[in-house]
C-alpha cells in the first residue's frame, strides 16, 4: 500500500492510488468439468502421448502459432512456462501490457514487470503487444488531465472574509493542521498559478475522513448575509474531499459541490477542479470549517 499524497492550494489537493491488480478478462466455459490425464481411457491417453509439440507440425518456419496468456502465470509456474515454450512461437499477454497496467495517474510508464517477463521468454518467441487504446482499462485520470482546461486564478470581486494571507506567505498562521497523517506543510510553486499550496500526506492506515484535515481560522458570520465557499482541488489520482463546519445550524450539510446535485462529499482527480457552494444560513457570530480528505 503506498502513502497517499495531497496538496492544497489555498485550497488545492493532491493524492496517490495504490496500484490495482488486473485479472484476465476471459473465462473458462468448462470450469468445474476439467478432465485429468488419469481420467482418460488408456487407449486415448496413449494416442495423445504420441503427438509432438504443436509447433512441430507447422509446415513453414514463418508460420505464427500464438497464445493469449497471463503474464503472472507464465512467470510463477515453471510447468506452465515449459508447456508454452514447447508448443508456441508467439504470445500475447492478457492485461500486463495494457495502458492501465504500465502507466500511473501521472503518465509515468513502468515496464519493470514486463522486463522481468522478457528475461524468461525464449529469444525465438515473438511477443505481440496490446493496442494503443483499449475500450476499458485506460489511465483515465492522466488522459483527462491532458485535455483539462488551464485554470488562471483571480481575486473575488466581493472580497474574501477568509484570511489566507499566511498561506500566501508560505506559513500556516491561524490555519490549524489537525490529524496530520504523515505530514501537512505549505509548499511553494505547486499551486494553480505557481504559488503556494498546502501539501498533505496521508497514511495508508487512515480509514476516516477526519484522519487528514486542515481547519481554517474563524470567519465572521453576519446574520442575513449570504456566503459562498470557493476553492480549487487537484490530486495525483482519484480522491474525495469533505468540508464540515462549526456553529452552523447544520455542521455537516450535503451541498451541490460540483453542480451535479447535493452530496456528502466531492470527488476530484489530477486536473484542477473548482468547488463552489453557497453556504446555509447561520446565526450572528463566527464559523470555521474543516477540510477533510481521503482516498
Amino acid at each position: 500500500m503506498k502513502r497517499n499524497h495531497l496538496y492544497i492550494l489555498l485550497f488545492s489537493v493532491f493524492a496517490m492510488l495504490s496500484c490495482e491488480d488486473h485479472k484476465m478478462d476471459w473465462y473458462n466455459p468448462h470450469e468445474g468439468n476439467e478432465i485429468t490425464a488419469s481420467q482418460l481411457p488408456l487407449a486415448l491417453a496413449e494416442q495423445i502421448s504420441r503427438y509432438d509439440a504443436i509447433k512441430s507440425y507447422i509446415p513453414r518456419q514463418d508460420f505464427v502459432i500464438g497464445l493469449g496468456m497471463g503474464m503472472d502465470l507464465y512467470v510463477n509456474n515453471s510447468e506452465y512456462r515449459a508447456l508454452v515454450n514447447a508448443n508456441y512461437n508467439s504470445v500475447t499477454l492478457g492485461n500486463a501490457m495494457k495502458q492501465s497496467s504500465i502507466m500511473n495517474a501521472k503518465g509515468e510508464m513502468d515496464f519493470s514487470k514486463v522486463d522481468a517477463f522478457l528475461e524468461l521468454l525464449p529469444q525465438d518467441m515473438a511477443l505481440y503487444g496490446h493496442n494503443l487504446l483499449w475500450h476499458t482499462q485506460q489511465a483515465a485520470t492522466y488522459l483527462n488531465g491532458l485535455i483539462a482546461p488551464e485554470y488562471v486564478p483571480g481575486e473575488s470581486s466581493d472580497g474574501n472574509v477568509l484570511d489566507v494571507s499566511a498561506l500566501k506567505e508560505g506559513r500556516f498562521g491561524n490555519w490549524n493542521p489537525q490529524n496530520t497523517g504523515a505530514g501537512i506543510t505549505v509548499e511553494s510553486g505547486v499551486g494553480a498559478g505557481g504559488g503556494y499550496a498546502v501539501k498533505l500526506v496521508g497514511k495508508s492506515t487512515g480509514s476516516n475522513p477526519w484522519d487528514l484535515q486542515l481547519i481554517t481560522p474563524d470567519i465572521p458570520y453576519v446574520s442575513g448575509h449570504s456566503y459562498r465557499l470557493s476553492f480549487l482541488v487537484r490530486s495525483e489520482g482519484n480522491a474525495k474531499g469533505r468540508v464540515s463546519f462549526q456553529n452552523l445550524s447544520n455542521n455537516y450539510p450535503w451541498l451541490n459541490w460540483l453542480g451535479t446535485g447535493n452530496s456528502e462529499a466531492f470527488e476530484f482527480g489530477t486536473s484542477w477542479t473548482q468547488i463552489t457552494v453557497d453556504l446555509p444560513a447561520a446565526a450572528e457570530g463566527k464559523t470555521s470549517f474543516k477540510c477533510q480528505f481521503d482516498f
Side-chain angles (χ1 to χ4, degrees):
M1 184 82 179
K2 297 182 179 178
R3 276 185 179 174
N4 292 323
H5 295 248
L6 300 98
Y7 293 82
I8 297 183
L9 158 80
L10 312 182
F11 283 164
S12 301
V13 187
F14 298 74
M16 181 179 291
L17 288 181
S18 63
C19 297
E20 177 182 351
D21 292 332
H22 297 290
K23 297 181 179 180
M24 302 294 289
D25 51 8
W26 52 64
Y27 71 100
N28 176 11
H30 307 295
E31 187 172 357
N33 297 310
E34 295 87 351
I35 297 176
T36 65
S38 62
Q39 294 173 302
L40 290 173
L42 181 59
L44 179 59
E46 291 177 348
Q47 183 179 359
I48 293 175
S49 68
R50 289 197 293 268
Y51 283 98
D52 204 345
I54 295 175
K55 66 182 181 183
S56 67
Y57 295 98
I58 298 174
R60 294 168 19 201
Q61 301 234 341
D62 60 347
F63 189 88
V64 176
I65 179 167
L67 173 71
M69 67 176 191
M71 184 181 73
D72 290 343
L73 182 61
Y74 182 90
V75 170
N76 298 321
N77 189 317
S78 59
E79 292 184 3
Y80 179 84
R81 184 164 63 249
L83 198 62
V84 172
N85 294 346
N87 286 277
Y88 301 95
N89 59 19
S90 171
V91 294
T92 298
L93 301 181
N95 278 309
M97 293 180 69
K98 286 183 180 176
Q99 187 186 76
S100 62
S101 298
I102 59 176
M103 179 185 290
N104 65 18
K106 295 185 289 185
E108 299 168 339
M109 310 287 279
D110 181 4
F111 294 99
S112 57
K113 291 184 178 180
V114 177
D115 288 341
F117 158 74
L118 289 174
E119 291 294 324
L120 297 173
L121 199 68
Q123 292 293 321
D124 60 351
M125 179 81 78
L127 172 65
Y128 282 80
H130 278 288
N131 45 309
L132 181 62
L133 292 177
W134 187 243
H135 69 290
T136 60
Q137 297 170 289
Q138 299 174 18
T141 300
Y142 169 70
L143 294 175
N144 288 334
L146 295 178
I147 61 174
E150 182 178 357
Y151 176 80
V152 180
E155 296 294 333
S156 169
S157 59
D158 298 327
N160 189 1
V161 295
L162 176 60
D163 183 8
V164 295
S165 58
L167 298 183
K168 290 182 177 181
E169 295 173 358
R171 56 189 179 87
F172 284 110
N174 292 330
W175 290 73
N176 179 19
Q178 191 178 82
N179 299 342
T180 56
I184 300 180
T185 56
V186 183
E187 301 285 329
S188 176
V190 296
Y196 283 98
V198 179
K199 175 182 178 181
L200 298 92
V201 181
K203 293 182 178 178
S204 60
T205 54
S207 57
N208 302 303
W210 53 86
D211 289 334
L212 186 66
Q213 66 179 1
L214 180 68
I215 304 177
T216 70
D218 287 337
I219 305 165
Y221 221 99
V222 180
S223 180
H225 287 202
S226 60
Y227 293 86
R228 175 170 293 172
L229 172 64
S230 183
F231 56 94
L232 291 167
V233 290
R234 185 165 72 122
S235 71
E236 291 181 348
N238 296 324
K240 182 182 292 186
R242 299 170 177 82
V243 178
S244 63
F245 298 87
Q246 299 291 326
N247 303 323
L248 297 188
S249 56
N250 179 6
N251 289 329
Y252 304 93
W254 284 43
L255 299 175
N256 190 8
W257 305 102
L258 297 170
T260 56
N262 290 359
S263 61
E264 178 260 348
F266 50 87
E267 297 181 354
F268 55 97
T270 57
S271 59
W272 289 111
T273 299
Q274 181 85 42
I275 307 295
T276 301
V277 290
D278 292 321
L279 301 185
E284 193 88 16
K286 61 184 180 181
T287 186
S288 63
F289 53 89
K290 301 177 181 179
C291 308
Q292 304 170 336
F293 304 96
D294 65 358
F295 317 94

